[in-house]
Amino acid sequence: MPGLPKPITVADPVADLGPGGRAARSPARHGRRSGPRRGENLAGWAFISPSVLVIIGLAVVPVGWSLLLSFQANDLVTPGRWVGLDNYRALAEDPAFGQAVRNTLLYTALYVPLSVGLGLALALVLNRNIRLVGLYRVLFFVPFVISATAQGTLFSFVLDPEFGVANSVLYSLGLEPQGFLTDPGQALLTLVGITLWSGTGFCVVVYLAALQDVPPSLIEAARLDGAGAWRLLWHITLPTLVPVTVFLVLWQLIMSLQVFDLVYVTTKGGPLGATTVIVYFIWEQAFKNFTAGYGAAAAYVLAVALFAVAILQRVLRRRQGEPQERLAVRHPGDGHPKGSTP
């Protein structure tokens, strides 16, 4: 006769309790558990160590080194000389840096609201059930994925004052040819137009995704109450898109403050410094004039500006979350705040 299986015994939880009602762990059992955990931790660090080393080598070390460099007179060839805050004082008195700041602010003031506004308008049009709407969406997004180098090369040919297609079209219409990128009064505005052509597609895609989250029940209820298209847009659609709009404004603001590659490919900061932006000024000082310490100081001025934008974004997101937190503490179904009396 085969042997019966042994009964399963469960340890008495009361017997495992030590003085004061706390569970007592035996040293041998704790040692057996800590061994595998230590091995798992070592294996995890072994897997992520290459990424950690890459981040430290390509991000942390350059940031610290450039900070030290901003307090030196250094040409990246000969040993540097400590000058303290002289680089920052020189930036405050440098008219070229002042012009770069003004160009960057003007570029930002034009590009950010225009890209967000055009993106919203196009998204509202492309959110309707029209024929070939998928093709239109793709066509508006394709310029965004084209590299800035390719965009600059393309528009350098199109906007060439002598052989470009743009002036040929203007001539056929009986209009005077324009200088575009070679005219100090038009160069920066032309760069804004190029970046609008390429950067608006990102805003369109983000707004299209946000429009899908507008509650259809609210729209239907407003229509039943007699609301027209403008009232629907102003009282329902736009308030729903406020968080997305804040994100896009701050995102485009950060991108516009860092514009460089398009300027480098098309104008090289000219003509007469009309398109010299902050990042191009930094590159020019560090790798063209070989005043790396001066360029590093300018880079940290830009870093402070970007840090201020990041703080602004965090504050705005926190303020947007406060109304939701107030709604979360309400009793379900009664519509009164928790702890209050109707």
Side-chain angles (χ1 to χ4, degrees), residues 27 47 83-84 87 90 137 195 204 207 212 238 245 265 275 293 296 323:
F47 279 115
V83 295
N87 286 327
R137 293 176 180 177
T195 48
V204 172
Y207 271 129
Q212 307 303 318
L238 292 183
T245 303
V265 174
T275 59

Side-chain angles (χ1 to χ4, degrees), residues 46-320:
F47 279 115
I48 68 173
S49 58
S51 300
V52 172
L53 292 176
V54 170
I55 293 173
I56 293 176
L58 298 181
V60 179
V61 173
V63 168
W65 180 69
S66 61
L67 179 60
L68 294 176
L69 193 64
S70 68
F71 299 106
Q72 300 177 6
N74 197 316
D75 59 359
L76 300 178
V77 178
T78 59
R81 178 173 54 87
W82 187 266
V83 295
L85 297 175
D86 289 349
N87 286 327
Y88 294 94
R89 296 190 186 99
L91 283 175
E93 301 174 357
D94 190 353
F97 181 70
Q99 184 182 19
V101 172
R102 289 192 297 271
N103 291 338
T104 305
L105 293 178
L106 178 59
Y107 176 89
T108 301
L110 293 174
Y111 171 67
V112 174
L114 288 176
S115 63
V116 175
L118 287 175
L120 176 60
L122 292 173
L124 291 173
V125 174
L126 297 177
N127 194 45
R128 301 180 179 181
N129 293 326
I130 58 179
R131 187 178 180 183
L132 301 177
V133 64
L135 176 62
Y136 299 146
R137 293 176 180 177
V138 172
L139 291 178
F140 280 110
F141 185 71
V142 164
F144 176 73
V145 300
I146 300 176
S147 66
T149 304
Q151 296 173 25
T153 304
L154 172 63
F155 280 97
S156 295
F157 285 105
V158 173
L159 301 177
D160 186 271
E162 296 183 3
F163 309 104
V165 177
N167 274 335
S168 299
V169 174
L170 292 178
Y171 179 79
S172 63
L173 296 175
L175 301 176
E176 295 183 358
Q178 303 295 321
F180 297 114
L181 296 172
T182 60
D183 187 347
Q186 299 179 0
L188 190 63
L189 299 178
T190 304
L191 288 180
V192 173
I194 296 174
T195 48
L196 283 175
W197 174 79
S198 60
T200 305
F202 176 76
C203 299
V204 172
V205 171
V206 174
Y207 271 129
L208 280 174
L211 287 172
Q212 307 303 318
D213 294 333
V214 177
S217 58
L218 292 179
I219 297 177
E220 187 64 26
R223 286 176 176 172
L224 292 176
D225 290 340
W230 283 107
R231 288 185 176 272
L232 288 175
L233 177 64
W234 187 256
H235 294 285
I236 296 179
T237 303
L238 292 183
T240 307
L241 299 178
V242 167
V244 176
T245 303
V246 172
F247 162 74
L248 285 176
V249 168
L250 295 176
W251 177 268
Q252 298 293 75
L253 178 62
I254 293 173
M255 293 296 103
S256 61
L257 290 177
Q258 299 182 90
V259 62
F260 167 76
D261 37 13
L262 186 62
V263 175
Y264 180 80
V265 174
T266 55
T267 63
K268 297 290 191 301
L272 302 177
T275 59
T276 300
V277 291
I278 294 180
V279 180
Y280 187 83
F281 177 86
I282 295 169
W283 173 86
E284 192 174 36
Q285 296 300 321
F287 301 106
K288 189 176 180 181
N289 299 337
F290 293 102
T291 54
Y294 192 59
Y300 265 89
V301 172
L302 176 61
V304 170
L306 294 176
F307 184 70
V309 174
I311 293 178
L312 177 63
Q313 181 180 14
R314 188 174 183 86
V315 171
L316 292 177
R317 290 183 62 182
R318 183 174 296 179
R319 288 184 178 180
Q320 291 173 3

Side-chain angles (χ1 to χ4, degrees), residues 318-332:
R318 183 174 296 179
R319 288 184 178 180
Q320 291 173 3
E322 288 178 356
Q324 298 178 359
E325 293 177 359
R326 296 193 192 101
L327 292 175
V329 298
R330 293 177 179 270
H331 288 295

